[in-house]
Amino acid sequence: MIYRTDYHIHSSFSDGRAAPEDYIAPALAAGLDEIGFSEHLTLFRESLDWSMNASDVEPYLKHINNLSRNVTSIKVKKGLEVDFFPGKEKEICSLLKKTKLDYAIGSVHYLGDSTVDMGPEFYDGKSIDSLFEVYFDMVDAAAASGLFDIIAHCDLIRIFGFKPSSDPENLYRNLARSFKIHDVAFEINTNGRNRPVGDFYPDRKYLRIFREENVPVCVNSDAHLPSR
């Protein structure tokens, strides 16, 4: 079944540039039936300018609950985009159990102490082949953790256009199979069109693999502006 939804939207509660209310009219104009806010939540890293801390979650959810009650023209859902850190599954699970979310999105931004998307300098002097393998392994671990309903931008490692030396089809195949086994949806993230890579996540060349493996899919904007 096909639904007209967008479950990956960021507002001023994290790194979006508008209040949640400002997204309603553009969503209706786009013909959407449901939208969901999924602000960044990054545990184990404090005072990031692009992500909430754990103490920010309650006021955020209260705001979205009020918005959902007051808006009758479209269904408004509440989620979080939570950074996955291997070895921290229990702590992440504990927080998610305390929150009454409609869904949880898992994402991998960090490899070590740095994020893969803040600048191309992260890739300087590193093996692109190794980075792709490590990143895909991390996303696989996020899917297998049982913490998340959706995995965000599953090949964010492509953001600056770097490519491995050989065809990464096997990485996508293994990832799709893991998503299917662990009943996790992947997203076609259209915000990649606004990044240096200039295309969707995941790479459209490999979308067929997710279809062949029968992985659930949703189309999300990852919008940081109402116009997106």
Side-chain angles (χ1 to χ4, degrees):
M1 186 174 293
I2 296 174
Y3 302 93
R4 294 185 62 82
T5 62
D6 184 354
Y7 293 140
H8 192 162
I9 298 174
H10 297 286
S11 77
S12 51
F13 276 95
S14 60
D15 60 345
R17 300 180 187 176
E21 290 77 6
D22 296 337
Y23 290 83
I24 301 301
L28 289 170
L32 298 181
D33 301 314
E34 295 182 5
I35 59 171
F37 292 91
S38 50
E39 306 296 350
H40 290 288
L41 175 63
T42 308
L43 304 175
F44 325 113
R45 301 287 191 276
E46 294 295 326
S47 302
L48 299 172
D49 59 5
W50 55 273
S51 181
M52 297 193 303
N53 295 322
S55 59
D56 302 318
V57 172
E58 185 176 347
Y60 155 65
L61 294 179
K62 182 179 179 180
H63 189 100
I64 301 303
N65 278 331
N66 288 335
L67 180 63
S68 179
R69 284 194 294 267
N70 293 329
V71 173
T72 59
S73 53
I74 189 171
K75 183 175 287 187
V76 179
K77 293 192 172 185
K78 56 186 184 296
L80 287 169
E81 180 186 351
V82 182
D83 272 279
F84 176 76
F85 293 94
K88 298 292 187 178
E89 291 88 347
K90 288 184 179 179
E91 292 91 335
I92 297 172
C93 181
S94 177
L95 185 140
L96 289 177
K97 282 185 176 180
K98 297 175 185 176
T99 61
K100 294 182 179 180
L101 301 175
D102 294 310
Y103 60 91
I105 297 178
S107 63
V108 174
H109 291 96
Y110 282 87
L111 289 185
D113 294 328
S114 301
T115 61
V116 303
D117 60 335
M118 284 302 179
E121 60 274 6
F122 170 82
Y123 299 81
D124 291 346
K126 297 183 176 72
S127 165
I128 301 302
D129 289 358
S130 294
L131 286 176
F132 265 70
E133 291 175 4
V134 170
Y135 188 84
F136 274 72
D137 283 346
M138 190 86 78
V139 176
D140 187 352
S145 70
L147 296 168
F148 309 115
D149 304 295
I150 304 167
I151 298 295
H153 38 62
C154 68
D155 57 356
L156 183 64
I157 195 74
R158 293 171 49 243
I159 187 169
F160 295 106
F162 295 107
K163 298 179 180 179
S165 59
S166 58
D167 189 342
E169 178 168 341
N170 65 308
L171 296 178
Y172 286 92
R173 179 72 66 182
N174 291 337
L175 199 60
R177 287 174 175 168
S178 179
F179 283 20
K180 180 61 178 177
I181 290 171
H182 299 290
D183 193 25
V184 175
F186 83 104
E187 65 171 13
I188 297 176
N189 183 309
T190 65
N191 197 36
R193 295 288 296 272
N194 306 306
R195 303 305 186 192
V197 69
D199 206 354
F200 303 134
Y201 310 113
D203 189 332
R204 68 176 70 200
K205 179 179 179 181
Y206 303 105
L207 281 177
R208 60 176 175 79
I209 292 174
F210 292 86
R211 178 65 186 92
E212 290 165 5
E213 299 296 337
N214 200 29
V215 182
V217 60
C218 50
V219 179
N220 289 332
S221 68
D222 196 356
H224 292 68
L225 293 165
S227 59
R228 296 273 169 82

